[in-house]
């Protein structure tokens, strides 16, 4: 078993790296891949870069070059469900490319020539991911500290299993995107820029994957937290802790 771990924020990579024994570093196509181990499992850790093409390219290298047979994705995302708050975690049950539109040849959001609109995460992996995120959050007060959490108005963060919407736009007005409106009835929980692209690559290569997303904004124009501070003090710690829990439970 070799696990590819992709993070969409440099600070996430740093926190995951702290839990890893790094044996080597290799640069391929503008990405830096750290190879080594977490406990006894071989891992390859990489910053995914942002957007669908960049993250698809990174996932392809993890699978084709490094021969990873599992992919973990961590990053931040905008909330689509109105009851989700900053600091909550969305675990993907499936991922969809909300900006794909090859109509009238294919229905909106369907990936041309595949018949697929929703890339599903295998149920057993999705439920292990939910358990890992829950067990991380169970001790979040001690791990991050109440003072820091309250700085970002985080209190009693939750884990939500659900659909993740991916597209090549940073969404600040969720109502203005036709693709997002089109899939609204499927109740997408979070919007981001990589998940469904990585999911498509994993699907093509028959490699299982999980997606963790920490909510960093509400995909609207509402008052913004200090994003840099949030990534440093919250999202990085979340990624490190969640990956640790997931690795231990699934491969430890
Ligand atoms: N706003 C940040 C930049 C976020 S960068 C800043 O000020 O620096 C983009 C990353 O955030 C991508 O990995 C993307 O997946 C994720 N993301 C977070 N919120 C998002 C949103 N509302 N829409 C799209 N992507 C989002």
């Amino acid at each position: 078993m070799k696990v590819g771990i992709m993070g969409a924020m440099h600070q996430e990579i740093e926190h995951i790296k702290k839990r890893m024994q790094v044996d080597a570093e290799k640069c391929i196509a503008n990405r830096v891949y750290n190879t080594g181990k977490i406990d006894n499992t071989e891992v390859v850790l990489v910053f995914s870069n942002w957007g669908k093409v960049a993250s698809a390219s990174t996932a392809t290298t993890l699978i084709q070059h490094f021969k990873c047979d599992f992919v973990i994705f961590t990053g931040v995302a905008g909330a689509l469900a109105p009851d989700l708050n900053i600091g909550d975690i969305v675990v993907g049950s499936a991922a969809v490319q909300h900006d794909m539109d090859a109509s009238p040849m294919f229905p909106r959001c369907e990936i041309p020539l595949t018949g697929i609109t929703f890339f599903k995460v295998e149920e057993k992996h999705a439920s292990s991911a939910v358990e890992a995120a829950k067990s991380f959050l169970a001790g979040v007060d001690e791990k991050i500290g109440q003072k820091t959490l309250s700085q970002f108005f985080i209190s009693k963060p939750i884990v939500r299993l659900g659909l993740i919407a991916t597209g090549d736009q940073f969404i600040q007005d969720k109502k203005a995107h036709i693709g997002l409106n089109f899939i609204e009835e499927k109740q997408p929980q979070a919007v981001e820029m990589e998940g469904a692209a990585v999911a498509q690559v994993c699907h093509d290569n028959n490699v299982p994957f999980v997606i963790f997303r920490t909510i960093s904004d509400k995909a609207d124009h509402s008052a913004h937290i200090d994003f840099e501070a949030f990534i440093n003090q919250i999202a990085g710690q979340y990624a490190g802790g969640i990956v640790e829990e997931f690795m231990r439970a699934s491969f430890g």
Side-chain angles (χ1 to χ4, degrees):
M1 169 63 64
K2 198 192 266 189
V3 180
I5 306 173
M6 308 174 68
M9 292 289 159
H10 284 295
Q11 293 86 341
E12 293 183 315
I13 298 295
E14 289 315 310
H15 279 273
I16 298 167
K17 211 169 166 180
K18 279 188 205 155
R19 290 154 166 100
M20 177 181 167
Q21 172 203 316
V22 179
D23 298 329
E25 196 183 279
K26 189 169 184 181
C27 183
I28 301 173
N30 274 330
R31 308 283 185 280
V32 178
Y33 295 83
N34 288 283
T35 55
K37 280 186 172 170
I38 292 182
D39 298 326
N40 285 321
T41 308
E42 277 192 88
V43 297
V44 185
L45 174 67
V46 61
F47 173 60
S48 63
N49 253 341
W50 293 346
K52 291 194 296 177
V53 174
S55 56
S57 158
T58 313
T60 303
T61 303
L62 279 176
I63 295 169
Q64 290 293 334
H65 179 87
F66 290 99
K67 308 291 176 208
C68 290
D69 32 35
F70 196 97
V71 171
I72 300 174
F73 193 100
T74 77
V76 294
L80 291 177
D83 62 333
L84 283 175
N85 290 306
I86 288 169
D88 288 341
I89 299 171
V90 173
V91 169
S93 56
V96 57
Q97 294 178 23
H98 69 80
D99 58 350
M100 175 59 76
D101 182 12
S103 57
M105 281 94 69
F106 301 99
R108 186 181 281 273
C109 296
E110 183 176 308
I111 306 299
L113 311 174
T114 65
I116 299 172
T117 302
F118 301 98
F119 292 99
K120 291 201 171 60
V121 178
E122 268 180 58
E123 238 166 71
K124 63 175 179 191
H125 298 310
S127 44
S128 310
V130 168
E131 288 315 308
K134 280 188 177 163
S135 105
F136 169 74
L137 284 185
V140 76
D141 283 1
E142 299 86 75
K143 286 170 203 149
I144 296 186
Q146 282 243 297
K147 201 166 153 240
T148 308
L149 290 169
S150 58
Q151 238 176 289
F152 298 97
F153 310 103
I154 301 172
S155 94
K156 300 196 172 42
I158 61 159
V159 180
R160 169 78 48 82
L161 177 68
L163 179 63
I164 288 176
T166 303
D168 280 327
Q169 294 105 16
F170 189 85
I171 303 294
Q172 284 190 292
D173 182 3
K174 52 194 171 200
K175 301 254 179 290
H177 293 267
I178 300 171
L180 287 177
N181 293 331
F182 182 75
I183 56 167
E184 203 178 348
E185 62 181 22
K186 302 281 182 190
Q187 298 181 319
Q189 299 295 309
V191 65
E192 37 85 308
M193 301 176 68
E194 299 85 16
V198 171
Q200 184 175 349
V201 170
C202 288
H203 171 85
D204 279 349
N205 287 280
N206 206 15
V207 166
F209 64 98
V210 290
I211 306 171
F212 294 99
R213 288 284 178 176
T214 300
I215 297 301
S216 59
D217 57 85
K218 293 194 153 200
D220 58 16
H221 290 288
S222 64
H224 274 281
I225 49 163
D226 178 344
F227 193 80
E228 196 59 31
F230 178 80
I231 299 299
N232 277 324
Q233 294 171 45
I234 306 287
Q237 308 249 27
Y238 268 51
I242 291 167
V243 167
E244 184 173 48
E245 296 280 354
F246 184 77
M247 290 292 298
R248 191 176 301 146
S250 299
F251 311 112

